[in-house]
Amino acid sequence: MEMPKIVPQIVETIEETEEIEPMAIIKEKEYVVPEQVFSQVPVQQQPAPVVKKVRKKRTMTPEMLEKLAVARAKANEKRKANKEARLKGEMKTPSQVKQEQLEIQEEKKRPVVNNVTNEYKTINNNITPEDIQKIALETSAKATAQALYEYEKIRKERKEEKKAKKEQEAKLQERQNTIKKSMIGGYQGSYKPPKKSIYG
């Protein structure tokens, strides 16, 4: 079998395209001394550091030392007096004072209803659930009766006001009717005002 003639032509074209490219010339990097690099960078001038003024040390004068000694003596006397009072029970100890402050803070945390602080106290008594139910029924019955009584009272007052108003209106209407009758002259029929013109 013979190979077609096309194949050798392709091989020749491939060989022609493969040309040797010249190699790039590699340059060696110049060695730079680090000192030269940093010397070329412009140095920023920093402002001079601010030096704080040194305070003079306060010296105690003899008068001040005397006053200080008197104050210390007073404080020591007060401490001794307080200690004796605590031992006698006349003055509260710091732990008792802290306890009172904690109680005051707890008091402030309690809910306030109608300006009355509700207290959280555990009640230990022998009330049975039946007793609680009985008390609840009695109190609810009393509350219902009281509410109904108040409503009935208000309703009667409104009814009396309405009745008085109707009576007043009826009297006023009666007076107006009397005045009309007197103007008409006792005429019982419907009253027609006189015509203003003969054409109308």
Side-chain angles (χ1 to χ4, degrees):
M1 236 178 143
E2 282 184 27
M3 297 246 329
K5 295 180 180 178
I6 299 171
V7 175
Q9 291 174 356
I10 295 172
V11 173
E12 288 174 8
T13 55
I14 292 173
E15 288 176 2
E16 290 175 6
T17 55
E18 289 182 13
E19 295 178 5
I20 300 173
E21 294 179 11
M23 291 182 65
I25 301 170
I26 300 171
K27 293 182 182 177
E28 289 186 22
K29 289 186 179 178
E30 295 179 17
Y31 177 74
V32 181
V33 181
E35 296 167 358
Q36 291 176 354
V37 173
F38 292 114
S39 65
Q40 291 174 358
V41 175
V43 179
Q44 295 178 350
Q45 293 181 351
Q46 295 179 349
V50 179
V51 178
K52 292 183 180 179
K53 292 181 182 178
V54 180
R55 278 185 168 181
K56 283 187 178 180
K57 195 171 183 182
R58 200 185 219 182
T59 55
M60 299 287 277
T61 62
E63 295 170 5
M64 293 171 88
L65 289 170
E66 288 174 16
K67 287 181 181 177
L68 186 63
V70 170
R72 282 183 181 154
K74 279 185 182 179
N76 285 335
E77 288 175 18
K78 183 80 174 175
R79 283 192 201 108
K80 286 179 184 176
N82 287 348
K83 188 176 181 181
E84 290 172 8
R86 278 192 212 103
L87 290 174
K88 291 178 183 176
E90 296 170 1
M91 190 175 176
K92 294 176 183 174
T93 60
S95 60
Q96 289 173 340
V97 172
K98 276 187 183 179
Q99 186 66 29
E100 281 186 359
Q101 289 175 348
L102 286 173
E103 287 174 5
I104 291 169
Q105 288 176 354
E106 286 295 320
E107 186 79 22
K108 287 179 182 176
K109 289 179 185 177
R110 289 187 183 138
V112 177
V113 179
N114 296 333
N115 296 330
V116 176
T117 306
N118 295 332
E119 296 182 8
Y120 299 122
K121 290 186 178 178
T122 55
I123 301 170
N124 296 327
N125 51 19
N126 299 327
I127 297 177
T128 61
E130 291 83 25
D131 294 339
I132 293 172
Q133 212 168 24
K134 185 179 177 184
I135 292 168
L137 286 174
E138 287 176 3
T139 54
S140 66
K142 285 180 184 177
T144 307
Q146 182 67 26
L148 287 173
Y149 175 74
E150 292 291 327
Y151 176 74
E152 195 65 26
K153 188 176 175 184
I154 292 168
R155 192 180 68 79
K156 283 182 180 178
E157 287 174 4
R158 282 194 210 136
K159 200 172 183 182
E160 287 174 5
E161 287 175 10
K162 193 174 179 182
K163 190 176 180 182
K165 194 174 182 182
K166 272 190 176 181
E167 287 177 1
Q168 215 173 19
E169 286 176 4
K171 286 181 182 178
L172 184 67
Q173 188 67 37
E174 192 177 329
R175 286 184 197 143
Q176 287 176 349
N177 288 341
T178 308
I179 292 170
K180 275 186 184 178
K181 284 181 183 176
S182 65
M183 285 174 63
I184 298 171
Y187 178 70
Q188 295 294 327
S190 62
Y191 172 73
K192 292 183 183 176
K195 295 180 181 177
K196 292 185 179 175
S197 70
I198 55 171
Y199 301 108

